[in-house]
Amino acid sequence: MIYYLYIHLFYSKKRRVLLIALMVFALLMLMMVYTDESMIEQILYQEQNQLYYEQVMTQLLKLLCPLLVILLVMDHDQEHLKPLVSYFGRSKIIFNKLIFYILILCWFYFIFFLFYHLFPLLLTSYYIYDAYAVKLFLNLFLDGILLAFLVFIFIRDKHKALSILIAIFYIVMSIIQEDHQNLFLFYLFPIFSPY
Protein backbone atom coordinates (compact mmCIF):
# COMPACT_ATOMS: atom_id res chain seq x y z
CA MET A 1 0.00 0.00 0.00
CA ILE A 2 2.80 2.45 0.89
CA TYR A 3 4.61 1.59 -2.37
CA TYR A 4 1.37 2.29 -4.25
CA LEU A 5 1.11 5.69 -2.54
CA TYR A 6 4.76 6.39 -3.39
CA ILE A 7 4.25 5.64 -7.09
CA HIS A 8 1.24 7.94 -7.32
CA LEU A 9 2.71 10.74 -5.23
CA PHE A 10 6.06 11.05 -6.98
CA TYR A 11 5.04 11.12 -10.61
CA SER A 12 7.51 12.64 -13.06
CA LYS A 13 6.43 16.31 -12.94
CA LYS A 14 6.26 16.39 -9.17
CA ARG A 15 9.65 14.68 -8.89
CA ARG A 16 11.17 17.40 -11.06
CA VAL A 17 9.55 20.17 -9.02
CA LEU A 18 10.79 18.66 -5.75
CA LEU A 19 14.31 18.20 -7.09
CA ILE A 20 14.34 21.79 -8.33
CA ALA A 21 13.11 22.96 -4.92
CA LEU A 22 15.88 20.99 -3.19
CA MET A 23 18.46 22.41 -5.59
CA VAL A 24 17.23 25.97 -4.95
CA PHE A 25 17.39 25.29 -1.22
CA ALA A 26 20.95 23.97 -1.57
CA LEU A 27 21.98 27.03 -3.62
CA LEU A 28 20.48 29.39 -1.04
CA MET A 29 22.39 27.57 1.68
CA LEU A 30 25.60 27.85 -0.31
CA MET A 31 25.03 31.59 -0.69
CA MET A 32 24.52 31.94 3.07
CA VAL A 33 27.60 29.86 3.90
CA TYR A 34 30.00 31.75 1.67
CA THR A 35 31.87 34.62 3.27
CA ASP A 36 34.44 36.77 1.54
CA GLU A 37 36.74 36.57 4.55
CA SER A 38 40.01 34.69 4.57
CA MET A 39 40.46 31.49 6.55
CA ILE A 40 42.29 33.29 9.33
CA GLU A 41 39.53 35.90 9.67
CA GLN A 42 36.89 33.15 9.71
CA ILE A 43 38.69 31.45 12.59
CA LEU A 44 39.26 34.76 14.37
CA TYR A 45 35.59 35.77 14.15
CA GLN A 46 34.25 32.24 14.51
CA GLU A 47 31.47 33.02 17.00
CA GLN A 48 30.06 35.91 14.97
CA ASN A 49 30.13 33.95 11.72
CA GLN A 50 28.53 30.90 13.29
CA LEU A 51 25.82 32.98 14.98
CA TYR A 52 25.07 34.77 11.70
CA TYR A 53 24.84 31.45 9.84
CA GLU A 54 22.55 29.86 12.43
CA GLN A 55 20.18 32.82 12.56
CA VAL A 56 19.96 33.27 8.81
CA MET A 57 19.48 29.54 8.22
CA THR A 58 16.79 29.35 10.91
CA GLN A 59 14.84 32.07 9.13
CA LEU A 60 15.40 30.43 5.73
CA LEU A 61 14.22 27.06 7.02
CA LYS A 62 11.16 28.63 8.62
CA LEU A 63 10.26 30.18 5.26
CA LEU A 64 11.04 27.31 2.88
CA CYS A 65 10.11 24.19 4.86
CA PRO A 66 6.36 24.97 5.09
CA LEU A 67 6.19 25.53 1.35
CA LEU A 68 7.94 22.22 0.65
CA VAL A 69 5.70 20.38 3.13
CA ILE A 70 2.60 21.82 1.46
CA LEU A 71 4.00 20.90 -1.95
CA LEU A 72 4.42 17.32 -0.75
CA VAL A 73 1.10 16.93 1.01
CA MET A 74 -1.33 18.82 -1.19
CA ASP A 75 -2.01 15.75 -3.40
CA HIS A 76 -3.11 13.53 -0.53
CA ASP A 77 -6.75 13.26 -1.59
CA GLN A 78 -6.55 11.83 -5.09
CA GLU A 79 -9.26 10.07 -7.07
CA HIS A 80 -7.33 6.80 -7.41
CA LEU A 81 -7.60 6.27 -3.62
CA LYS A 82 -11.42 6.33 -3.56
CA PRO A 83 -11.90 2.76 -4.93
CA LEU A 84 -9.31 1.46 -2.46
CA VAL A 85 -11.44 2.65 0.45
CA SER A 86 -14.14 0.12 -0.37
CA TYR A 87 -11.57 -2.68 -0.75
CA PHE A 88 -9.24 -2.05 2.22
CA GLY A 89 -11.35 0.18 4.46
CA ARG A 90 -11.07 3.85 5.30
CA SER A 91 -9.06 3.40 8.50
CA LYS A 92 -6.34 1.31 6.80
CA ILE A 93 -6.00 3.84 3.97
CA ILE A 94 -5.75 6.76 6.42
CA PHE A 95 -3.23 4.90 8.58
CA ASN A 96 -1.04 4.05 5.58
CA LYS A 97 -1.23 7.62 4.30
CA LEU A 98 -0.15 8.97 7.68
CA ILE A 99 2.77 6.54 7.93
CA PHE A 100 3.83 7.30 4.35
CA TYR A 101 3.76 11.08 4.74
CA ILE A 102 5.57 10.97 8.08
CA LEU A 103 8.30 8.84 6.46
CA ILE A 104 8.59 11.29 3.57
CA LEU A 105 8.79 14.24 5.98
CA CYS A 106 11.49 12.43 7.98
CA TRP A 107 13.45 11.92 4.78
CA PHE A 108 13.16 15.57 3.71
CA TYR A 109 14.11 16.98 7.09
CA PHE A 110 17.04 14.58 7.26
CA ILE A 111 18.26 15.93 3.90
CA PHE A 112 17.89 19.50 5.20
CA PHE A 113 19.77 18.53 8.37
CA LEU A 114 22.64 17.10 6.32
CA PHE A 115 22.77 20.19 4.10
CA TYR A 116 22.67 22.41 7.19
CA HIS A 117 25.81 20.78 8.63
CA LEU A 118 27.79 19.53 5.65
CA PHE A 119 27.92 22.70 3.56
CA PRO A 120 29.49 24.93 6.23
CA LEU A 121 31.66 22.10 7.56
CA LEU A 122 33.19 21.45 4.14
CA LEU A 123 33.29 25.00 2.79
CA THR A 124 34.23 27.17 5.77
CA SER A 125 36.71 27.28 8.59
CA TYR A 126 34.42 28.79 11.22
CA TYR A 127 31.72 26.14 11.55
CA ILE A 128 31.55 23.98 14.68
CA TYR A 129 28.72 21.51 15.28
CA ASP A 130 26.16 22.81 17.75
CA ALA A 131 23.53 20.60 19.38
CA TYR A 132 21.00 23.41 19.03
CA ALA A 133 20.45 22.30 15.43
CA VAL A 134 18.96 18.98 16.58
CA LYS A 135 16.37 20.84 18.65
CA LEU A 136 15.69 23.22 15.76
CA PHE A 137 15.11 20.44 13.25
CA LEU A 138 13.00 18.43 15.68
CA ASN A 139 10.75 21.46 16.20
CA LEU A 140 10.57 22.15 12.47
CA PHE A 141 9.74 18.49 11.84
CA LEU A 142 6.89 18.67 14.36
CA ASP A 143 5.66 21.86 12.68
CA GLY A 144 5.76 20.01 9.35
CA ILE A 145 3.63 17.24 10.79
CA LEU A 146 1.20 19.84 12.16
CA LEU A 147 0.96 21.46 8.71
CA ALA A 148 0.45 18.06 7.09
CA PHE A 149 -2.38 17.25 9.49
CA LEU A 150 -4.03 20.61 8.79
CA VAL A 151 -3.89 19.87 5.06
CA PHE A 152 -5.25 16.34 5.64
CA ILE A 153 -8.19 17.72 7.60
CA PHE A 154 -9.15 20.82 5.65
CA ILE A 155 -8.01 20.38 2.04
CA ARG A 156 -9.69 18.10 -0.48
CA ASP A 157 -8.79 17.40 -4.11
CA LYS A 158 -11.06 20.10 -5.56
CA HIS A 159 -9.51 22.87 -3.45
CA LYS A 160 -5.88 21.82 -3.16
CA ALA A 161 -4.63 25.24 -4.29
CA LEU A 162 -5.97 26.62 -0.99
CA SER A 163 -3.30 24.62 0.87
CA ILE A 164 -0.85 27.42 0.02
CA LEU A 165 -2.89 29.62 2.38
CA ILE A 166 -2.02 27.27 5.25
CA ALA A 167 1.70 27.70 4.52
CA ILE A 168 1.31 31.48 4.28
CA PHE A 169 -0.63 31.48 7.55
CA TYR A 170 2.17 29.47 9.18
CA ILE A 171 4.83 31.92 7.95
CA VAL A 172 2.82 34.95 9.10
CA MET A 173 2.18 33.38 12.51
CA SER A 174 5.88 32.58 12.96
CA ILE A 175 6.77 36.21 12.14
CA ILE A 176 4.12 37.50 14.56
CA GLN A 177 5.30 35.18 17.32
CA GLU A 178 8.87 36.35 16.87
CA ASP A 179 7.90 39.98 17.31
CA HIS A 180 5.32 39.47 20.08
CA GLN A 181 5.90 36.55 22.41
CA ASN A 182 2.24 35.97 23.25
CA LEU A 183 1.42 32.74 25.06
CA PHE A 184 -2.22 32.92 23.93
CA LEU A 185 -1.15 32.86 20.26
CA PHE A 186 1.10 29.89 20.99
CA TYR A 187 -1.82 27.96 22.51
CA LEU A 188 -3.98 28.72 19.47
CA PHE A 189 -1.34 27.71 16.95
CA PRO A 190 1.61 25.90 18.59
CA ILE A 191 4.45 26.44 16.15
CA PHE A 192 8.16 26.72 16.75
CA SER A 193 9.56 29.98 17.99
CA PRO A 194 13.13 30.39 19.22
CA TYR A 195 11.77 32.24 22.26
Side-chain angles (χ1 to χ4, degrees):
M1 173 71 68
I2 290 180
Y3 181 68
Y4 180 76
L5 290 170
Y6 172 78
I7 289 171
H8 286 282
L9 177 68
F10 291 111
Y11 50 91
S12 62
K13 288 181 184 177
K14 191 162 188 179
R15 250 184 276 155
R16 286 187 204 126
V17 169
L18 288 174
L19 285 175
I20 289 171
L22 283 175
M23 288 171 45
V24 166
F25 180 72
L27 288 174
L28 284 173
M29 287 189 79
L30 284 173
M31 287 177 15
M32 297 303 150
V33 165
Y34 177 72
T35 60
D36 54 352
E37 298 174 341
S38 67
M39 185 185 301
I40 296 169
E41 289 176 336
Q42 287 181 16
I43 294 171
L44 185 62
Y45 300 112
Q46 183 265 332
E47 291 178 4
Q48 289 90 350
N49 287 332
Q50 176 129 358
L51 182 64
Y52 173 76
Y53 173 74
E54 288 174 356
Q55 288 182 347
V56 168
M57 287 310 302
T58 301
Q59 295 301 322
L60 184 65
L61 286 168
K62 284 171 59 177
L63 291 176
L64 290 181
C65 286
L67 297 174
L68 287 175
V69 168
I70 295 298
L71 183 66
L72 275 172
V73 180
M74 70 189 314
D75 287 337
H76 76 95
D77 187 41
Q78 295 179 351
E79 289 296 323
H80 66 85
L81 292 175
K82 305 258 181 334
L84 295 176
V85 170
S86 61
Y87 185 70
F88 290 110
R90 185 176 303 276
S91 60
K92 185 172 182 179
I93 298 291
I94 291 172
F95 180 73
N96 283 326
K97 277 172 51 174
L98 288 176
I99 295 293
F100 172 70
Y101 282 110
I102 288 174
L103 288 174
I104 294 295
L105 288 177
C106 286
W107 182 69
F108 266 102
Y109 280 101
F110 181 70
I111 289 174
F112 293 155
F113 187 75
L114 286 178
F115 284 171
Y116 183 87
H117 290 297
L118 286 180
F119 285 158
L121 188 65
L122 297 175
L123 300 175
T124 64
S125 300
Y126 65 82
Y127 186 75
I128 298 173
Y129 173 76
D130 187 9
Y132 170 75
V134 176
K135 180 182 172 187
L136 169 71
F137 276 92
L138 182 63
N139 285 318
L140 289 175
F141 173 70
L142 293 174
D143 285 352
I145 290 177
L146 177 70
L147 286 173
F149 284 162
L150 287 174
V151 171
F152 288 158
I153 293 169
F154 295 116
I155 304 298
R156 295 289 167 238
D157 192 39
K158 295 177 186 176
H159 310 291
K160 63 181 159 184
L162 294 176
S163 60
I164 299 296
L165 293 177
I166 294 175
I168 292 171
F169 178 73
Y170 171 85
I171 293 169
V172 168
M173 284 299 293
S174 67
I175 292 170
I176 289 172
Q177 283 186 4
E178 270 187 23
D179 292 339
H180 308 288
Q181 291 85 36
N182 190 345
L183 200 58
F184 181 70
L185 285 176
F186 179 76
Y187 286 141
L188 282 177
F189 197 66
I191 60 173
F192 169 68
S193 175
Y195 304 103

